[in-house]
PDB file of all heavy atoms in Angstrom:
ATOM      1  N   ILE A 314       9.897  -6.424  -3.513  1.00 97.00           N
ATOM      2  CA  ILE A 314       9.748  -7.679  -2.787  1.00 97.00           C
ATOM      3  C   ILE A 314       9.336  -8.844  -3.680  1.00 97.00           C
ATOM      4  O   ILE A 314       9.519  -9.997  -3.296  1.00 97.00           O
ATOM      5  CB  ILE A 314       8.766  -7.569  -1.595  1.00 97.00           C
ATOM      6  CG1 ILE A 314       7.384  -7.163  -2.055  1.00 97.00           C
ATOM      7  CG2 ILE A 314       9.336  -6.628  -0.545  1.00 97.00           C
ATOM      8  CD1 ILE A 314       6.346  -7.127  -0.933  1.00 97.00           C
ATOM      9  N   ASN A 315       8.799  -8.557  -4.886  1.00 97.00           N
ATOM     10  CA  ASN A 315       8.445  -9.646  -5.784  1.00 97.00           C
ATOM     11  C   ASN A 315       8.259  -9.085  -7.183  1.00 97.00           C
ATOM     12  O   ASN A 315       7.440  -8.186  -7.388  1.00 97.00           O
ATOM     13  CB  ASN A 315       7.154 -10.341  -5.332  1.00 97.00           C
ATOM     14  CG  ASN A 315       6.858 -11.614  -6.082  1.00 97.00           C
ATOM     15  OD1 ASN A 315       6.917 -11.648  -7.317  1.00 97.00           O
ATOM     16  ND2 ASN A 315       6.531 -12.653  -5.354  1.00 97.00           N
ATOM     17  N   PRO A 316       8.997  -9.608  -8.187  1.00 94.00           N
ATOM     18  CA  PRO A 316       8.878  -9.088  -9.561  1.00 94.00           C
ATOM     19  C   PRO A 316       7.454  -9.195 -10.130  1.00 94.00           C
ATOM     20  O   PRO A 316       7.065  -8.405 -10.977  1.00 94.00           O
ATOM     21  CB  PRO A 316       9.867  -9.905 -10.373  1.00 94.00           C
ATOM     22  CG  PRO A 316      10.495 -10.885  -9.479  1.00 94.00           C
ATOM     23  CD  PRO A 316       9.977 -10.673  -8.091  1.00 94.00           C
ATOM     24  N   ASN A 317       6.683 -10.175  -9.665  1.00 96.00           N
ATOM     25  CA  ASN A 317       5.321 -10.323 -10.146  1.00 96.00           C
ATOM     26  C   ASN A 317       4.391  -9.204  -9.678  1.00 96.00           C
ATOM     27  O   ASN A 317       3.269  -9.061 -10.185  1.00 96.00           O
ATOM     28  CB  ASN A 317       4.720 -11.671  -9.728  1.00 96.00           C
ATOM     29  CG  ASN A 317       5.407 -12.824 -10.444  1.00 96.00           C
ATOM     30  OD1 ASN A 317       5.901 -12.672 -11.571  1.00 96.00           O
ATOM     31  ND2 ASN A 317       5.479 -13.951  -9.790  1.00 96.00           N
ATOM     32  N   ASN A 318       4.839  -8.425  -8.715  1.00 96.00           N
ATOM     33  CA  ASN A 318       4.010  -7.330  -8.199  1.00 96.00           C
ATOM     34  C   ASN A 318       3.856  -6.190  -9.202  1.00 96.00           C
ATOM     35  O   ASN A 318       3.096  -5.262  -8.937  1.00 96.00           O
ATOM     36  CB  ASN A 318       4.558  -6.809  -6.877  1.00 96.00           C
ATOM     37  CG  ASN A 318       4.268  -7.776  -5.743  1.00 96.00           C
ATOM     38  OD1 ASN A 318       3.394  -8.636  -5.858  1.00 96.00           O
ATOM     39  ND2 ASN A 318       4.991  -7.646  -4.659  1.00 96.00           N
ATOM     40  N   LYS A 319       4.509  -6.288 -10.342  1.00 94.00           N
ATOM     41  CA  LYS A 319       4.248  -5.292 -11.385  1.00 94.00           C
ATOM     42  C   LYS A 319       2.787  -5.332 -11.807  1.00 94.00           C
ATOM     43  O   LYS A 319       2.268  -4.377 -12.356  1.00 94.00           O
ATOM     44  CB  LYS A 319       5.181  -5.523 -12.588  1.00 94.00           C
ATOM     45  CG  LYS A 319       4.919  -6.809 -13.331  1.00 94.00           C
ATOM     46  CD  LYS A 319       5.861  -7.000 -14.504  1.00 94.00           C
ATOM     47  CE  LYS A 319       5.569  -8.276 -15.213  1.00 94.00           C
ATOM     48  NZ  LYS A 319       6.439  -9.363 -14.878  1.00 94.00           N
ATOM     49  N   ASN A 320       2.130  -6.445 -11.512  1.00 95.00           N
ATOM     50  CA  ASN A 320       0.706  -6.599 -11.842  1.00 95.00           C
ATOM     51  C   ASN A 320      -0.217  -6.239 -10.694  1.00 95.00           C
ATOM     52  O   ASN A 320      -1.442  -6.332 -10.836  1.00 95.00           O
ATOM     53  CB  ASN A 320       0.444  -8.048 -12.261  1.00 95.00           C
ATOM     54  CG  ASN A 320       1.262  -8.439 -13.455  1.00 95.00           C
ATOM     55  OD1 ASN A 320       1.319  -7.703 -14.429  1.00 95.00           O
ATOM     56  ND2 ASN A 320       1.911  -9.591 -13.371  1.00 95.00           N
ATOM     57  N   THR A 321       0.322  -5.847  -9.544  1.00 97.00           N
ATOM     58  CA  THR A 321      -0.513  -5.474  -8.402  1.00 97.00           C
ATOM     59  C   THR A 321      -1.445  -4.326  -8.797  1.00 97.00           C
ATOM     60  O   THR A 321      -1.016  -3.339  -9.396  1.00 97.00           O
ATOM     61  CB  THR A 321       0.362  -5.025  -7.216  1.00 97.00           C
ATOM     62  OG1 THR A 321       1.182  -6.134  -6.821  1.00 97.00           O
ATOM     63  CG2 THR A 321      -0.486  -4.579  -6.037  1.00 97.00           C
ATOM     64  N   GLN A 322      -2.718  -4.487  -8.463  1.00 97.00           N
ATOM     65  CA  GLN A 322      -3.715  -3.480  -8.776  1.00 97.00           C
ATOM     66  C   GLN A 322      -3.947  -2.595  -7.558  1.00 97.00           C
ATOM     67  O   GLN A 322      -4.256  -3.086  -6.483  1.00 97.00           O
ATOM     68  CB  GLN A 322      -5.035  -4.140  -9.179  1.00 97.00           C
ATOM     69  CG  GLN A 322      -4.935  -4.926 -10.481  1.00 97.00           C
ATOM     70  CD  GLN A 322      -4.651  -4.041 -11.657  1.00 97.00           C
ATOM     71  OE1 GLN A 322      -5.314  -3.039 -11.903  1.00 97.00           O
ATOM     72  NE2 GLN A 322      -3.629  -4.414 -12.421  1.00 97.00           N
ATOM     73  N   PHE A 323      -3.797  -1.281  -7.729  1.00 97.00           N
ATOM     74  CA  PHE A 323      -4.025  -0.293  -6.678  1.00 97.00           C
ATOM     75  C   PHE A 323      -5.304   0.426  -6.995  1.00 97.00           C
ATOM     76  O   PHE A 323      -5.438   1.008  -8.088  1.00 97.00           O
ATOM     77  CB  PHE A 323      -2.873   0.718  -6.630  1.00 97.00           C
ATOM     78  CG  PHE A 323      -1.565   0.145  -6.192  1.00 97.00           C
ATOM     79  CD1 PHE A 323      -0.718  -0.477  -7.085  1.00 97.00           C
ATOM     80  CD2 PHE A 323      -1.145   0.269  -4.876  1.00 97.00           C
ATOM     81  CE1 PHE A 323       0.499  -0.971  -6.698  1.00 97.00           C
ATOM     82  CE2 PHE A 323       0.073  -0.248  -4.470  1.00 97.00           C
ATOM     83  CZ  PHE A 323       0.897  -0.864  -5.372  1.00 97.00           C
ATOM     84  N   TYR A 324      -6.236   0.442  -6.041  1.00 97.00           N
ATOM     85  CA  TYR A 324      -7.432   1.232  -6.241  1.00 97.00           C
ATOM     86  C   TYR A 324      -7.057   2.702  -6.162  1.00 97.00           C
ATOM     87  O   TYR A 324      -6.443   3.137  -5.202  1.00 97.00           O
ATOM     88  CB  TYR A 324      -8.479   0.916  -5.174  1.00 97.00           C
ATOM     89  CG  TYR A 324      -9.285  -0.306  -5.476  1.00 97.00           C
ATOM     90  CD1 TYR A 324      -8.931  -1.538  -4.952  1.00 97.00           C
ATOM     91  CD2 TYR A 324     -10.411  -0.233  -6.310  1.00 97.00           C
ATOM     92  CE1 TYR A 324      -9.681  -2.661  -5.244  1.00 97.00           C
ATOM     93  CE2 TYR A 324     -11.167  -1.360  -6.607  1.00 97.00           C
ATOM     94  CZ  TYR A 324     -10.791  -2.578  -6.078  1.00 97.00           C
ATOM     95  OH  TYR A 324     -11.506  -3.695  -6.372  1.00 97.00           O
ATOM     96  N   ILE A 325      -7.483   3.473  -7.169  1.00 94.00           N
ATOM     97  CA  ILE A 325      -7.316   4.914  -7.131  1.00 94.00           C
ATOM     98  C   ILE A 325      -8.678   5.604  -7.080  1.00 94.00           C
ATOM     99  O   ILE A 325      -8.773   6.810  -6.870  1.00 94.00           O
ATOM    100  CB  ILE A 325      -6.465   5.434  -8.303  1.00 94.00           C
ATOM    101  CG1 ILE A 325      -7.085   5.087  -9.628  1.00 94.00           C
ATOM    102  CG2 ILE A 325      -5.040   4.912  -8.197  1.00 94.00           C
ATOM    103  CD1 ILE A 325      -6.541   5.921 -10.775  1.00 94.00           C
TER     104      ILE A 325
END
Side-chain angles (χ1 to χ4, degrees):
I314 60 175
N315 190 312
N317 292 330
N318 285 341
K319 66 181 180 260
N320 301 313
T321 298
Q322 295 295 309
F323 293 84
Y324 277 95
I325 60 163

